Amino acid sequence: MFSSSIPSTLTGLHDLLILNLSLNSLSGPLPIDIGKWKAMRRIDFSNNQFSSEIPIGVVDLKELTHFSLSNNRITGSIPESFGDLLSLEYLDLSTNILSGELLKTLEKLRFLKYFNVSFNRLQGEIPDGKSFGNYSIESFKGNEALCGAAQLYVPSCKTKSHRNSKARTKIITYVAPPIACTILFSSHAETGDEENGSEENA
């Protein structure tokens, strides 16, 4: 039943390999200098009340295989640098307040066996390359703005061609009428000139 926040002195323990603080009442931000734990293999901060963004320093944890922040109040987006944590096998970010998109860089995590970002506020297309093709709806449910493959039971993504088609429709809608009016006016003017010329000749 630990409470309060993680003391800054904890990141001074550079040789830590495993840190499990799950199932407590810890709050406040995640350690901003988390990157000092360069030897760390496993971090479990799940089931607490942490409320900051994921520190950028996570990218320095090159030996990390297990990282869990589930059931907290983590905000912001998933750092693009996660794609550089090439040793990662387990990543659980479920039940937080994460937003933004699932970046393609996550496809670089070829050793990743468990991935869960369910019940957040993520949006955009679910990557389908590498290990992402093996995940189920359980990994992504609870994110209403996600789209992707049919087997994930999420809406299909609007294709680029469909978006381009909509863009062309808008162009036709807003550009075509003035052009048509210009052509009509020019045609009318030419007709008027011809009629005036006929009258003068008469």
Side-chain angles (χ1 to χ4, degrees):
M1 299 299 294
F2 289 132
S3 59
S4 189
S5 59
I6 295 178
S8 58
T9 53
L10 195 60
T11 55
L13 303 176
H14 298 163
D15 295 328
L16 277 179
L17 297 179
I18 298 174
L19 180 59
N20 189 340
L21 295 175
S22 63
L23 297 168
N24 281 288
S25 297
L26 294 167
S27 59
L30 297 172
I32 193 170
D33 49 357
I34 193 174
K36 291 183 177 180
W37 288 326
K38 295 187 184 300
M40 191 71 77
R41 303 291 198 276
R42 299 168 63 92
I43 295 177
D44 192 341
F45 290 160
S46 62
N47 297 287
N48 280 285
Q49 299 173 28
F50 293 115
S51 56
S52 67
E53 296 187 2
I54 300 173
I56 298 176
V58 168
V59 70
D60 295 321
L61 305 181
K62 301 300 185 183
E63 304 299 322
L64 195 65
T65 62
H66 180 118
F67 190 45
S68 180
L69 296 176
S70 64
N71 291 291
N72 278 285
R73 301 170 185 170
I74 305 300
T75 59
S77 58
I78 299 174
E80 185 174 1
S81 57
F82 265 35
D84 296 325
L85 299 178
L86 300 181
S87 298
L88 209 57
E89 300 176 8
Y90 183 104
L91 179 59
D92 192 348
L93 304 175
S94 62
T95 316
N96 280 290
I97 318 174
L98 291 168
S99 56
E101 298 186 351
L102 291 173
L103 301 176
K104 289 283 188 180
T105 54
L106 294 173
E107 294 181 344
K108 293 161 48 178
L109 303 178
R110 58 194 180 95
F111 295 117
L112 198 61
K113 299 174 182 175
Y114 181 87
F115 180 77
N116 194 341
V117 291
S118 61
F119 298 103
N120 278 285
R121 299 175 183 175
L122 298 169
Q123 60 185 18
E125 184 175 5
I126 298 172
D128 57 2
K130 302 293 184 353
S131 58
F132 272 82
N134 299 323
Y135 300 133
S136 69
I137 183 57
E138 298 301 319
S139 295
F140 307 104
K141 67 182 181 181
N143 293 277
E144 296 182 359
L146 282 179
C147 63
Q151 64 265 26
L152 297 176
Y153 297 98
V154 294
S156 58
C157 298
K158 294 179 180 179
T159 62
K160 185 176 181 180
S161 60
H162 178 65
R163 290 194 296 267
N164 289 341
S165 176
K166 289 181 68 176
R168 286 194 295 270
T169 300
K170 288 183 178 179
I171 291 173
I172 292 172
T173 301
Y174 293 109
V175 177
I179 293 175
C181 289
T182 302
I183 293 172
L184 183 61
F185 179 79
S186 299
S187 175
H188 180 72
E190 290 175 1
T191 303
D193 290 341
E194 291 177 358
E195 291 176 353
N196 290 335
S198 299
E199 291 176 358
E200 289 176 359
N201 291 332

